[in-house]
């Protein structure tokens, strides 16, 4: 019997996305879409992230914790970007973390987690007494904040070389990295998610005074791997 080529081909076509919410904010348009069983966040027409995998978002948290000095109790973590919630959920699942602070500048994303469909992912993590969500811009927060953290886990762009908005580029500049360095406790860890490796960013981290600079890869189905850039503030 000849294979049903037409049926097989149609089965391979991914479902069309359904827009659940679309909002205009101070940083442009942000959209929540549902595609089959998964959700997608689109910012200013740029795909930001979805719920299809999440390995690299979890690695962002795990690698930062693993890079902290041995014996540090109740370390605090600042997560830059709530996104689809995978990084927050991973942090809340780990009992060793102390204070968990999430900075998210898009009110729409916060709403999708607190009163919308993303609640099914992050509801328990948001209810964790260690968790605090700040509705503010990460770049501005790092510029004005005085508290320090044991780990900064940043995932607000597709990487240092592919920012969602132009303003975010200052985060990866010498001034922005100096602010990250200042917001870390001695021995603290900076972890930055990226859709692709960036040797130039590794050098920028060294130039900013970070030590132990390295990149951990996460294999993807197609193309170059996702990565997490890691660096430490000296003790």
């Amino acid at each position: 019997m000849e294979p049903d080529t037409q049926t097989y081909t149609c089965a391979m076509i991914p479902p069309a996305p359904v827009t659940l919410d679309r909002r205009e904010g101070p940083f442009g348009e942000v959209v929540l879409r549902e595609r089959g069983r998964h959700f997608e966040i689109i910012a200013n027409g740029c795909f930001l992230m979805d719920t299809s995998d999440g390995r690299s978002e979890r690695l962002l948290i795990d690698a930062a914790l693993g890079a902290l000095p041995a014996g540090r109790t109740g370390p605090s973590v600042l997560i830059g970007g709530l996104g689809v919630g995978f990084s927050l959920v991973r942090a809340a699942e780990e009992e060793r973390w102390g204070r968990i602070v999430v900075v998210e500048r898009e009110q729409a994303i916060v709403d999708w987690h607190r009163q919308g469909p993303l609640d099914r992912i992050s509801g328990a993590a948001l209810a964790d007494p260690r968790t605090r969500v700040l509705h503010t811009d990460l770049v501005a927060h790092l510029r004005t904040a005085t508290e320090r953290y044991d780990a900064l886990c940043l995932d607000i762009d597709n990487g240092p070389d592919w920012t969602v908005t132009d303003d975010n580029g200052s985060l990866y500049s010498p001034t922005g990295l100096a602010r990250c360095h200042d917001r870390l406790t001695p021995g603290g860890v900076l972890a930055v998610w990226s859709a692709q490796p960036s040797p130039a960013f590794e050098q920028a981290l060294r130039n900013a005074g970070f030590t132990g600079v390295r990149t951990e890869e996460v294999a993807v189905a197609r193309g170059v791997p996702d990565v997490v850039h890691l660096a430490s503030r000296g003790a």
Side-chain angles (χ1 to χ4, degrees):
M1 179 182 292
E2 292 292 327
D4 189 346
T5 305
Q6 183 176 5
T7 300
Y8 176 77
T9 302
C10 291
M12 297 297 291
I13 298 175
V18 177
T19 297
L20 302 180
D21 194 13
R22 182 192 307 271
R23 300 196 201 177
E24 287 289 340
F27 303 98
E29 181 188 69
V30 62
V31 178
L32 178 65
R33 303 194 309 197
E34 187 172 19
R35 187 188 296 270
R37 297 181 296 109
H38 300 294
F39 298 105
E40 303 172 340
I41 295 178
I42 313 297
N44 294 317
C46 176
F47 174 86
L48 198 57
M49 59 183 62
D50 65 16
T51 58
S52 63
D53 192 341
R55 283 177 294 171
S56 57
E57 290 93 335
R58 297 181 183 100
L59 174 63
L60 181 72
I61 301 299
D62 292 347
L65 183 60
L68 286 171
R72 185 165 298 199
T73 59
S76 58
V77 57
L78 172 69
I79 301 173
L82 179 55
V84 294
F86 286 149
S87 294
L88 167 60
V89 170
R90 189 63 162 188
E93 289 173 343
E94 176 53 70
E95 294 180 356
R96 285 178 290 174
W97 286 115
R99 185 166 50 109
I100 302 171
V101 178
V102 183
V103 173
E104 175 54 59
R105 70 182 187 179
E106 296 290 352
Q107 183 62 50
I109 293 179
V110 176
D111 291 345
W112 296 335
H113 282 275
R114 291 200 180 279
Q115 298 101 24
L118 297 183
D119 170 76
R120 71 186 71 168
I121 296 172
S122 62
L126 287 171
D128 191 299
R130 296 171 296 169
T131 300
R132 179 187 178 200
V133 177
L134 303 179
H135 175 216
T136 188
D137 177 60
L138 176 63
V139 175
H141 180 69
L142 292 173
R143 184 175 63 246
T144 60
T146 57
E147 63 268 34
R148 288 184 173 182
Y149 302 89
D150 296 294
L152 302 179
C153 296
L154 310 185
D155 183 9
I156 64 171
D157 295 299
N158 282 322
D161 303 324
W162 187 1
T163 60
V164 174
T165 59
D166 291 340
D167 291 346
N168 284 357
S170 65
L171 178 64
Y172 314 104
S173 69
T175 299
L177 292 179
R179 287 174 179 149
C180 289
H181 191 276
D182 289 345
R183 297 276 61 76
L184 286 170
T185 59
V189 175
L190 172 65
V192 180
W193 185 92
S194 179
Q196 60 186 12
S198 176
F201 184 59
E202 289 185 356
Q203 187 57 50
L205 289 167
R206 296 186 182 97
N207 294 342
F210 286 96
T211 61
V213 177
R214 67 186 188 278
T215 299
E216 295 196 16
E217 295 185 349
V218 181
V220 295
R222 295 183 300 275
V224 298
D226 294 341
V227 302
V228 173
H229 293 288
L230 292 162
S232 298
R233 172 174 175 158

